[in-house]
């Protein structure tokens, strides 16, 4: 005897996963032995630096690290985060109340609304965006209010177009600069404007700062928390994933307004049991590493960016040069939807690009290309694209 199983209404409310078809097409092409150049996933191909691996190897052998971890993170880790934020951004944080280590920033971002958003509360979410802002809001029963990001506004929300009634009922605002998927950046004055809106309408801010350490041409991305008044209204999420090529390790942190940190800590205390302690010790090694490593790595991405953008320009595809993140966000150069274009490019050339619509309706008309493959593969991708589009 069996009975039907229904997904919860909460899960049913999640938007469809728009990359399913493309993933299946990618698997099929791989199965047919096609030489795939994957510009689709934002996952660094460069290895985790050696001192971090050495710290993990040492810590993994110590039985004291094999037990449940403290769910607020090791005090030494919170202090290393405090120092890093101070040295990098000049931001002062209380390691006991204003910093919370996470099992990767994604889990923190997705769990945050459970601690702060009540059913029917409005949450302002950029469109296009990293998908957990939307799914985390929906899991908490909140209402997603999209803030479209347009090229003419530098892919930053135009708060002057948001209705007063919406601002009045909004509880939380998600922001993300340097931005995934658009590669856009924000100047300090943009954060000041957001803080002003937040104060006037009592809207908490959640700034996702996953890409602050990937920047080019001497540009230095700002932490939202550097701006006056930020810590009174918001929380910021950092990730060691992209900064130190540690995506698989699962370590990041939240910092900022203490009640927001406390709300997230309370949710997490009921859901997980902390970060593997050996990974926390490896995280300390990462945060203490010389910035020269980051700069060396950024020069590699910068070269790749110049190759890809230069190659696309030569075939007549005008795309902007990002000054941070490792994404090139390009307008679809032919009369096709982003999904059709991505499938067509994959079938014709073996190149995987991500359709912009997967990040929200306003991403339609664009594709995202990640600079996470070596130079020779980027050159090969440009050759293949020239044959197709040139
Ligand atoms: N935020 C943004 C904008 C991202 O693109 C990603 C990963 O792709 C994350 C957060 C999550 O990073 P992690 O959970 O690995 O720390």
């Amino acid at each position: 005897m069996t009975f039907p199983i229904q997904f919860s209404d909460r899960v049913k409310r999640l938007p469809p996963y728009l990359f399913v078809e493309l993933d299946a097409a990618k698997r099929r092409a791989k199965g047919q032995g096609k030489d795939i150049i994957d510009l689709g996933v934002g996952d660094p191909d460069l290895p985790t630096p050696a001192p971090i691996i050495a710290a993990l190897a040492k810590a993994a052998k110590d039985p004291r690290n094999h037990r449940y971890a403290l769910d607020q993170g090791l005090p030494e880790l919170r202090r290393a985060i405090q120092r890093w934020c101070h040295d990098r951004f000049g931001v002062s944080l209380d390691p006991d109340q204003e910093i919370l280590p996470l099992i990767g920033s994604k889990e923190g971002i997705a769990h945050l609304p459970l601690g702060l958003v009540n059913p029917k509360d409005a949450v302002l979410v950029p469109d296009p965006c990293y998908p957990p802002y939307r799914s985390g809001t929906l899991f908490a029963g909140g209402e997603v209010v999209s803030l479209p990001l347009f090229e003419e506004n530098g892919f930053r929300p135009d708060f002057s177009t948001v209705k007063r009634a919406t601002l009045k009922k909004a509880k939380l605002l998600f922001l993300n600069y340097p931005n995934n998927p658009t590669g856009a950046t924000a100047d300090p004055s943009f954060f000041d404007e957001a803080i002003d809106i937040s104060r006037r309408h009592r809207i908490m801010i959640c700034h996702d700062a996953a890409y602050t350490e990937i920047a080019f041409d001497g540009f230095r991305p700002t932490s939202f928390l550097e701006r006056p008044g930020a810590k009174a209204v918001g929380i910021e999420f950092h990730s060691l994933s992209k900064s130190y090529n540690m995506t698989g390790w699962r370590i990041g942190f939240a910092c900022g307004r203490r009640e927001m940190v406390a709300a997230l800590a309370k949710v997490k205390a009921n859901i997980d049991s902390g970060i593997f302690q050996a990974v926390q010790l490896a995280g300390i090694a990462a945060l203490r590493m010389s910035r020269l490593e980051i700069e060396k790595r950024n020069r590699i991405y910068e070269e790749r960016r110049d190759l890809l953008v230069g190659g696309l320009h030569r075939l007549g595809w005008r795309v902007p040069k990002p000054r941070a993140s490792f994404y090139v966000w390009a307008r679809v150069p032919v009369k096709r939807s982003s999904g059709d274009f991505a499938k067509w490019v994959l079938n014709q050339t073996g190149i995987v690009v991500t359709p912009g619509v997967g990040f929200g309706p306003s991403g339609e008309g664009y594709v995202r290309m990640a600079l996470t493959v070596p130079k020779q593969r980027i050159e090969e991708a440009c050759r293949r694209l020239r044959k197709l589009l040139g």
Side-chain angles (χ1 to χ4, degrees):
M1 267 296 277
T2 186
F3 54 89
I5 304 285
Q6 289 273 341
F7 286 2
S8 66
D9 294 342
R10 189 176 304 113
V11 164
K12 285 189 201 152
R13 284 178 76 198
L14 291 176
Y17 179 60
L18 287 156
F19 304 128
V20 167
E21 270 183 70
L22 190 69
D23 282 349
K26 188 164 95 180
R27 270 197 304 278
R28 266 198 311 277
K30 265 194 185 143
Q32 290 159 2
K34 214 170 189 154
D35 175 31
I36 301 290
I37 303 177
D38 195 345
L39 307 179
V41 273
D43 192 351
D45 59 316
L46 301 164
T48 307
I52 303 174
I53 297 174
L56 175 79
K58 182 165 170 240
K61 289 186 187 134
D62 184 343
R64 282 176 303 177
N65 295 325
H66 298 171
R67 313 189 68 178
Y68 285 124
L70 293 174
D71 50 20
Q72 301 267 31
L74 287 170
E76 304 90 282
L77 174 60
R78 281 184 274 120
R79 275 200 301 276
I81 293 169
Q82 175 194 37
R83 209 162 306 131
W84 186 87
C85 287
H86 185 264
D87 294 350
R88 169 66 178 86
F89 301 115
V91 169
S92 297
L93 294 161
D94 174 346
D96 297 323
Q97 310 224 39
E98 295 175 336
I99 291 175
L100 182 67
L102 301 169
I103 311 170
S105 63
K106 182 180 188 178
E107 68 93 351
I109 291 167
H111 284 140
L112 182 74
L114 286 179
L116 297 171
V117 172
N118 285 317
K120 305 277 181 251
D121 280 345
V123 176
L124 304 175
V125 175
D127 165 27
C129 74
Y130 180 54
Y133 313 152
R134 231 177 272 135
S135 47
T137 300
L138 294 175
F139 279 147
E143 301 288 342
V144 172
V145 177
S146 291
L147 297 181
L149 305 183
F150 298 117
E151 197 162 343
E152 58 269 29
N153 297 328
F155 296 110
R156 290 180 288 274
D158 179 355
F159 295 116
S160 69
T161 61
V162 184
K163 290 198 187 93
R164 266 196 83 78
T166 303
L167 291 172
K168 235 173 129 178
K169 66 176 189 177
K171 188 123 185 228
L172 181 65
L173 160 66
F174 279 100
L175 295 173
N176 164 223
Y177 295 98
N179 185 259
N180 175 17
T182 66
T185 55
D187 293 326
S189 62
F190 170 77
F191 289 128
D192 292 344
E193 190 192 349
I195 292 165
D196 181 51
I197 297 274
S198 149
R199 275 218 200 100
R200 280 194 284 129
H201 300 277
R202 300 188 168 206
I203 304 171
M204 295 173 282
I205 293 180
C206 167
H207 180 238
D208 177 356
Y211 294 94
T212 53
E213 304 317 295
I214 301 178
F216 319 117
D217 310 324
F219 174 65
R220 191 191 73 91
T222 312
S223 158
F224 150 79
L225 295 175
E226 283 177 50
R227 304 310 303 156
K231 210 165 70 170
V233 298
I235 191 169
E236 184 162 83
F237 285 87
H238 288 267
S239 165
L240 274 65
S241 293
K242 320 285 164 131
S243 305
Y244 297 98
N245 306 335
M246 293 176 75
T247 46
W249 298 56
R250 311 315 301 136
I251 180 162
F253 60 91
C255 52
R257 172 84 187 242
R258 63 187 57 190
E259 293 90 338
M260 294 175 76
V261 170
L264 179 56
K266 190 154 190 182
V267 170
K268 279 172 55 59
N270 285 282
I271 290 180
D272 67 63
S273 302
I275 311 162
F276 178 29
Q277 221 156 263
V279 169
Q280 297 194 45
L281 292 165
I284 295 174
L287 295 168
R288 287 187 181 154
M289 252 172 45
S290 151
R291 280 209 68 80
L292 290 177
E293 280 295 319
I294 290 187
E295 280 155 24
K296 217 160 62 188
R297 191 268 327 268
N298 282 350
R299 278 198 292 278
I300 297 176
Y301 285 137
E302 192 171 310
E303 269 182 40
R304 294 176 179 179
R305 175 203 65 172
D306 292 345
L307 264 180
L308 180 61
V309 170
L312 298 179
H313 282 188
R314 273 192 295 284
L315 62 86
W317 190 355
R318 308 307 301 176
V319 304
K321 222 182 202 188
R323 58 176 182 167
S325 86
F326 48 47
Y327 299 116
V328 170
W329 183 244
R331 231 179 230 287
V332 174
V334 292
K335 269 208 158 67
R336 283 175 189 262
S337 69
S338 59
D340 274 357
F341 178 73
K343 269 185 262 166
W344 180 61
V345 168
L346 175 62
N347 290 333
Q348 298 293 318
T349 67
I351 300 168
V352 180
V353 300
T354 306
V357 72
F359 301 99
S362 299
E364 185 50 279
Y366 292 86
V367 287
R368 191 192 74 176
M369 289 173 257
L371 301 168
T372 47
V373 300
K375 271 187 344 191
Q376 308 84 281
R377 300 297 280 164
I378 290 185
E379 281 164 346
E380 174 59 20
C382 289
R383 268 193 294 277
R384 293 185 196 175
L385 286 170
R386 184 167 328 146
K387 260 198 209 150
L388 184 71
L389 300 165

